[in-house]
Amino acid sequence: MAISVIQVFCPVLFCSFYSFYVLLVNLDPSFQFFILTDTHFVTMKVKVISILEDNYMYLVIEENGKKAIAVDPAVPHRLLDIVKREGVTLDAVLTTHHHWDHARGNENLAKEVPGIQIYGADDRIGALTHKVVHKQELKFGTLNVRCLFTPCHTSGHMCYFVWEDGCTDAPAIFTGDTLFVAGCGRFFEGTAQQMYKNLTEVLSTLPLETKVFCGHEYTVKNLKFALKVEPDNVKVKEMLAWAKARDDDDKPTVPSTLEDEFQYNPFLRLSEEAVQKFTGKTDPVEVLSILRAEKDKFKKPKERLPTPAMLAFQWALSMANSETLQGPTDRNMTKK
């Protein structure tokens, strides 16, 4: 999958300042030096990098200072190539949890980038230099990070809420394997009660415009399950068509926004009548528990082959069965 770049920036602010600057220079050139030295156009760029079978790692770049932090860089050599190409300095790694497909690159990065800081909430994370706790805040230049503890998928799972000083555009949340586009993570080391708290008390309280960058590309399968849960949800149908098109073009479906997720993610719609009807429960924790159990068993419907392809497949199958019943031909028989 190709690398996709999502730039978080302040276009309206830029245009307003630029127009104001041009006006002042035309009126009085003496204003030029003041404006050029005191005006900052802050930008944060998030590079979405597809790795392994369906994982994402991320590079968050502070454009002004040319600093960067990485999230779950499981393929370090690829990350370092991008860091070099972008001309930035990699200062830190944010690890959501200890699973190999998220944390396996830490040791190599620690060797390749002396002094790099590696953050996480679980002692099982390789090369960990800074163990963080819930609501702890970190700062990297103009980038701000708030650590949000979300145990359940693993007992030491941490999400990272990131925003930049001076920029009015939407912040970002890196959710690892806690929240996906239209889904949530498995409860490997936790309970439905914990995941309920993660989703409703921790993540759902963030600004609605927050961009969600998750750890895997599971969107199509998640939306097919969502459609099973809410067959009349128009937004689910629209998103599924969009996600299939993105998948066909080998493009990522991240980021979504929290506002989007509330419209089609069944794990964030626990009080909806259709979701409760699907689970047969009304208590939200019980609804979540049954949803996750059903999702664990769910297999997305296989796409039907086009008619000519299906006929060709059936013909080949019938020929193979015919040869099996008739036995080997004279050509293949061993002479005595």
Side-chain angles (χ1 to χ4, degrees):
M1 185 178 290
I3 297 172
S4 173
V5 180
I6 297 151
Q7 290 196 334
V8 184
F9 60 102
C10 306
V12 175
L13 187 63
F14 178 86
C15 293
S16 299
F17 270 105
Y18 181 75
S19 300
F20 185 55
Y21 161 71
V22 172
L23 176 62
L24 288 178
V25 169
N26 287 334
L27 292 175
D28 185 353
S30 65
F31 279 102
Q32 184 171 3
F33 178 78
F34 170 79
I35 293 174
L36 288 177
T37 55
D38 287 354
T39 301
H40 303 280
F41 304 111
V42 182
T43 59
M44 180 176 75
K45 179 164 68 176
V46 178
K47 292 191 75 71
V48 178
I49 309 165
S50 176
I51 56 172
L52 306 177
E53 182 179 356
D54 52 34
N55 277 75
Y56 287 122
M57 65 180 180
Y58 300 99
L59 185 66
V60 186
I61 299 174
E62 178 210 14
E63 294 264 72
N64 281 357
K66 290 298 180 182
K67 302 285 187 179
I69 54 178
V71 181
D72 289 350
V75 183
H77 67 274
R78 186 172 181 190
L79 177 78
L80 292 175
D81 286 344
I82 296 170
V83 166
K84 183 178 180 180
R85 188 165 69 242
E86 291 290 322
V88 297
T89 301
L90 182 62
D91 285 343
V93 168
L94 307 178
T95 307
T96 59
H97 60 294
H98 75 282
H99 286 166
W100 72 274
D101 57 329
H102 295 260
R104 72 172 190 171
N106 290 359
E107 287 89 350
N108 284 339
L109 280 175
K111 294 176 183 177
E112 295 291 333
V113 186
I116 192 170
Q117 303 171 71
I118 298 177
Y119 296 83
D122 195 322
D123 290 325
R124 293 173 290 182
I125 293 172
L128 187 69
T129 62
H130 296 74
K131 191 172 182 180
V132 293
V133 296
H134 184 52
K135 292 188 177 180
Q136 181 176 343
E137 294 198 355
L138 313 171
K139 196 166 183 62
F140 306 95
T142 59
L143 296 177
N144 301 279
V145 179
R146 182 179 302 142
C147 306
L148 299 175
F149 191 46
T150 53
C152 184
H153 182 71
T154 67
S155 60
H157 196 291
M158 188 71 75
C159 296
Y160 299 98
F161 181 64
V162 182
W163 73 98
E164 187 164 18
D165 293 336
C167 188
T168 58
D169 200 77
I173 181 71
F174 296 90
T175 57
D177 286 2
T178 291
L179 176 68
F180 298 118
V181 178
C184 79
R186 289 174 179 258
F187 306 169
F188 285 135
E189 297 179 0
T191 65
Q193 181 66 55
Q194 285 180 307
M195 185 59 80
Y196 177 74
K197 180 179 180 180
N198 296 339
L199 297 177
T200 63
E201 297 181 24
V202 179
L203 298 180
S204 292
T205 58
L206 297 174
L208 289 176
E209 68 271 19
T210 300
K211 296 182 180 181
V212 179
F213 296 90
C214 57
H216 291 270
E217 181 56 61
Y218 292 160
T219 304
V220 170
K221 184 174 181 180
N222 285 347
L223 286 166
K224 287 184 176 181
F225 176 71
L227 190 60
K228 180 180 179 182
V229 176
E230 292 188 274
D232 297 324
N233 188 322
V234 175
K235 187 64 176 179
V236 170
K237 296 175 182 178
E238 292 174 351
M239 271 298 295
L240 180 56
W242 175 83
K244 285 180 177 179
R246 297 285 292 182
D247 191 56
D248 289 343
D249 291 338
D250 205 25
K251 294 179 180 178
T253 60
V254 296
S256 62
T257 69
L258 279 179
E259 186 173 20
D260 293 335
E261 293 300 320
F262 287 127
Q263 297 180 61
Y264 53 68
N265 189 329
F267 297 94
L268 294 178
R269 296 171 57 81
L270 305 176
S271 61
E272 293 295 321
E273 182 180 353
V275 179
Q276 293 184 350
K277 181 179 179 181
F278 177 82
T279 61
K281 301 291 181 180
T282 56
D283 177 80
V285 176
E286 292 181 344
V287 173
L288 177 59
S289 180
I290 291 176
L291 269 182
R292 184 61 258 181
E294 290 298 316
K295 180 62 168 64
D296 291 344
K297 298 183 293 184
F298 179 73
K299 293 183 179 180
K300 63 183 179 182
K302 294 182 179 179
E303 302 290 347
R304 290 182 59 85
L305 291 172
T307 302
M310 180 62 75
L311 292 174
F313 175 76
Q314 291 174 344
W315 176 82
L317 188 62
S318 65
M319 292 297 293
N321 289 337
S322 175
E323 289 185 3
T324 301
L325 291 173
Q326 291 176 5
T329 62
D330 292 341
R331 182 175 68 250
N332 294 324
M333 294 179 65
T334 303
K335 294 181 179 180
K336 294 183 179 180

